[in-house]
């Protein structure tokens, strides 16, 4: 947990630096004006040891979500209806994008029928597989398989 806090702290410091640089060149970005305060607040919570738990139920916020967005203050159980709907839409979109990235399911190759099955555990998974043939008359067929450790999207 301490290593994670150190990582998040350095991520927050990097974000603070980027925000300071951005605000000096993009004065029109008023919708981002709250971010420096949120970053400062998260840094204070890390330094005081109160960073990590959900502010409503005090259970730990999911580590993977915090790694993706260190400004989170609530666990998945305590998202607002709007945040939950937005997350659901993002997952559905990510699922459609992932499925579209997979290659043709059953290509034939020099008389061989090739097939694979991709069944993500959730709506989106980190797993990826691909069949690669190059050119109009390919000589080789490559089967690629990646990230099968089951970590999923977060
Ligand atoms: Zn909670």
């Amino acid at each position: 947990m301490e290593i994670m806090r150190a990582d998040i702290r350095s991520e927050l410091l990097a974000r603070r630096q980027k925000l300071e640089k951005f605000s000096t060149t993009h004065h029109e970005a008023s919708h981002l004006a709250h971010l420096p305060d949120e970053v400062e607040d998260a840094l204070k919570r890390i330094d005081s040891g109160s960073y990590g738990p959900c502010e409503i139920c005090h259970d730990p916020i999911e580590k993977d979500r915090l790694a993706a967005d260190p400004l989170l203050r609530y666990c998945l159980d305590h998202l607002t209806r709007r945040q939950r709907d937005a997350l659901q839409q993002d997952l559905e979109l990510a699922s459609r994008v992932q499925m579209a990235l997979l290659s043709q399911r059953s290509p034939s190759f020099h008389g061989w029928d090739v097939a694979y099955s991709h069944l993500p555990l959730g709506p989106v998974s980190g797993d990826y597989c691909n069949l690669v043939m190059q050119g109009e008359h390919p000589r080789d067929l490559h089967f690629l398989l990646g990230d099968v450790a089951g970590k999923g999207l977060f």
Side-chain angles (χ1 to χ4, degrees):
M1 191 61 179
E2 285 309 312
I3 292 171
M4 187 181 138
R5 283 212 173 115
D7 288 347
I8 287 181
R9 192 172 200 288
S10 61
E11 171 64 23
L12 286 166
L13 291 171
R15 284 186 185 203
R16 179 167 71 183
Q17 196 171 16
K18 283 182 197 168
L19 283 167
E20 285 168 359
K21 191 175 175 185
F22 186 80
S23 67
T24 59
T25 55
H26 296 77
H27 300 289
E28 75 285 359
S30 60
H31 63 288
L32 302 176
H34 65 284
L35 284 176
D37 288 343
E38 285 190 39
V39 170
E40 287 305 317
D41 193 53
L43 285 166
K44 282 181 194 163
R45 283 184 281 130
I46 284 177
D47 292 342
S48 72
S50 63
Y51 183 87
C54 169
E55 292 186 6
I56 295 176
C57 69
H58 306 293
D59 283 347
I61 296 174
E62 299 78 14
K63 283 182 189 174
D64 296 341
R65 288 181 64 232
L66 270 182
D69 183 358
L71 299 179
L72 293 177
R73 302 175 80 132
Y74 306 104
C75 73
L76 277 175
D77 290 340
H78 293 101
L79 296 180
T80 64
R81 175 75 193 207
R82 193 171 164 189
Q83 290 169 323
R84 206 177 292 234
D85 290 347
L87 183 59
Q88 183 64 34
Q89 284 178 355
D90 285 350
L91 283 173
E92 287 168 12
L93 177 62
S95 178
R96 287 201 305 270
V97 168
Q98 183 174 40
M99 294 312 279
L101 288 172
L102 296 174
S103 56
Q104 180 189 351
R105 287 297 167 101
S106 304
S108 65
F109 180 78
H110 295 294
W112 291 82
D113 291 329
V114 182
Y116 72 91
S117 177
H118 180 264
L119 298 170
L121 183 62
V124 180
S125 86
D127 302 345
Y128 183 72
C129 55
N130 202 352
L131 298 168
V132 177
M133 295 180 278
Q134 291 191 325
E136 202 168 313
H137 303 287
R139 275 188 41 210
D140 300 311
L141 169 69
H142 300 275
F143 178 66
L144 308 175
L145 189 62
D147 191 17
V148 292
K151 294 186 291 295
L153 178 65
F154 291 116

